[in-house]
Amino acid sequence: MASRGLPVTHRIRVLLERARGLDLASVTERAKFTAKAHGKSYPLVLADMLWSAARHRVGFNDYMEFDFAILTRAERATWVTSPLALELSNRYDDPAHVHRFHDKIDFNRDFDRFLGREWLALTPDGAGELEAFAQRHPVFIAKVPVSKSGLGVRRYAAADVADWAAFHADLVAKGEVLIEERIIQHPDLEAIAPGTANTTRVTTFVKDDGTVEIINMAQKFGRGQVSDQASFGGFYTALHEDGRAMGMGYSVDGHLFETHPDTGVRIADFQLPMMAEVRALITEVALVIPQVRYVGWDVVVTPTGPVLVEGNWGAGVFENKPSATGIRHGHLPRYRAAMGF
């Protein structure tokens, strides 16, 4: 399982692509938000943000989200940034196998025994099959098989459907052809963020000796919507290795959440239930496709144990935010120790 080398040309290509897609208005908005949040000079923050992106592979949103404006150079060097995470995915994930994570239907087939829920791939003439599924699961989830950030995911109730043939045709037309049983989450999660199946992001790496290392964890919290993603108003907090929250919650746009807005529960008091079972599940699923070594898994802890939602071969970044946790270092040392780079 030796890793593939990452050519310097990849870094150059990524940098050029980011430069071509630069949205200056968005960058200046982030710089102004950061300067105001930390009492810094806006021009200095903007200059530092641009320099950090060009010289140190720090995404503009990384800079804002992870409080780089208040960190020393040495402290910044301990963070996993978005460009670095992309480099690691390209280095360690075999391109011949990553397609197995792209399509949610294909993923469900490969990982069916870990899902803990019934699912159905709609066929053009499957209206009757859909109706029977909904009779077994009166509230169900429909997904577009190839999507990200929670887009293309909807929640439906069988009681709202009057014409199953028409409803089936509408789902097929919208591409919402993956139907899943709704996940019922653990009472500890429901007490904090009800109405959403709140996922735990567990990032793993399959080491050269074939063992699995958990290198990062974060808990996402929704706002009663079908997804806990940021596009649905969700936020998250980084977790210690034992499943305890590192501190307050925070969103990708830099806002802090001392308590959950809908329940008033203090985020820093969160403890992921069934941590031992989560670790056991993740260790097993990470070896189903060991050629894809660096993966961000989403699981939900239910009353009877954790279930797998999906795997992301582009693991993304769920890092520590110092103003939320008081901790002034990131997870990069853990990544380096596991990956050996």
Side-chain angles (χ1 to χ4, degrees):
M1 292 188 179
S3 66
R4 299 183 299 115
L6 183 70
V8 175
T9 54
H10 178 268
R11 290 190 184 185
I12 296 174
R13 178 169 56 82
V14 170
L15 184 60
L16 290 174
E17 288 175 355
R18 293 181 66 214
R20 283 196 297 268
L22 178 64
D23 181 347
L24 189 57
S26 177
V27 174
T28 56
E29 182 180 339
R30 287 177 170 86
K32 289 177 180 177
F33 179 93
T34 300
K36 183 177 180 181
H38 299 297
K40 301 286 186 178
S41 163
Y42 159 66
L44 292 179
V45 167
L46 178 60
D48 187 40
M49 183 181 286
L50 293 170
W51 170 252
S52 297
R55 180 66 179 85
H56 298 292
R57 293 175 295 163
V58 179
F60 299 125
N61 213 74
D62 296 333
Y63 188 101
M64 177 185 70
E65 186 178 350
F66 306 130
D67 300 333
F68 270 42
I70 63 172
L71 299 178
T72 67
R73 181 176 178 179
E75 289 168 343
R76 293 180 182 189
T78 66
W79 256 258
V80 179
T81 62
S82 299
L84 175 57
L86 179 59
E87 288 188 16
L88 295 174
S89 294
N90 280 278
R91 178 185 294 184
Y92 293 110
D93 292 341
D94 188 335
H97 293 272
V98 296
H99 69 277
R100 297 167 72 181
F101 290 82
H102 290 163
D103 188 296
K104 292 179 174 61
I105 292 177
D106 291 340
F107 181 87
N108 278 15
R109 291 192 179 107
D110 280 335
F111 292 89
D112 181 70
R113 66 187 185 276
F114 305 107
L115 302 181
R117 61 193 181 279
E118 186 180 358
W119 62 277
L120 169 69
L122 292 183
T123 59
D125 58 351
E129 192 176 22
L130 173 62
E131 182 177 6
F133 183 97
Q135 288 175 347
R136 294 190 298 275
H137 310 292
V139 178
F140 54 93
I141 308 299
K143 299 179 178 180
V144 175
V146 181
S147 64
K148 60 181 181 179
S149 301
L151 302 177
V153 179
R154 296 177 189 270
R155 182 166 51 205
Y156 294 100
D160 296 332
V161 180
D163 185 330
W164 284 98
F167 179 65
H168 170 269
D170 183 56
L171 290 180
V172 171
K174 292 186 296 189
E176 297 174 11
V177 294
L178 173 58
I179 310 301
E180 295 185 345
E181 176 185 354
R182 179 180 59 163
I183 298 172
I184 304 299
Q185 65 184 343
H186 192 281
D188 289 359
L189 289 163
E190 184 70 11
I192 298 174
T196 302
N198 298 285
T199 58
T200 307
R201 170 61 62 93
V202 185
T203 303
T204 61
F205 182 72
V206 180
K207 300 170 70 174
D208 287 342
D209 63 4
T211 60
V212 177
E213 186 87 11
I214 293 177
I215 54 178
N216 192 7
M217 292 195 303
Q219 179 62 47
K220 292 180 271 187
F221 297 103
R223 301 292 308 278
Q225 302 299 310
V226 68
S227 171
D228 56 17
Q229 296 281 359
S231 54
F232 290 81
F235 60 95
Y236 72 97
T237 186
L239 300 179
H240 290 289
E241 294 180 63
D242 61 0
R244 290 179 298 113
M246 286 188 174
M248 289 190 287
Y250 41 97
S251 61
V252 297
D253 58 6
H255 291 91
L256 298 176
F257 295 84
E258 182 176 0
T259 62
H260 192 286
D262 303 326
T263 61
V265 176
R266 189 168 178 265
I267 300 301
D269 294 335
F270 176 76
Q271 168 70 59
L272 182 67
M274 298 188 176
M275 184 61 222
E277 290 85 348
V278 169
R279 188 177 298 277
L281 172 69
I282 288 300
T283 299
E284 191 173 356
V285 301
L287 294 175
V288 173
I289 307 176
Q291 299 88 346
V292 184
R293 305 175 64 182
Y294 170 47
V295 178
W297 306 95
D298 286 334
V299 303
V300 174
V301 179
T302 75
T304 57
V307 299
L308 182 63
V309 176
E310 65 181 17
N312 302 271
W313 78 268
V317 179
F318 289 81
E319 261 284 16
N320 170 46
K321 184 178 181 66
S323 61
T325 67
I327 300 170
R328 297 178 69 92
H329 61 79
H331 287 80
L332 185 56
R334 287 173 60 182
Y335 281 54
R336 288 189 184 277
M339 296 178 171
F341 68 92

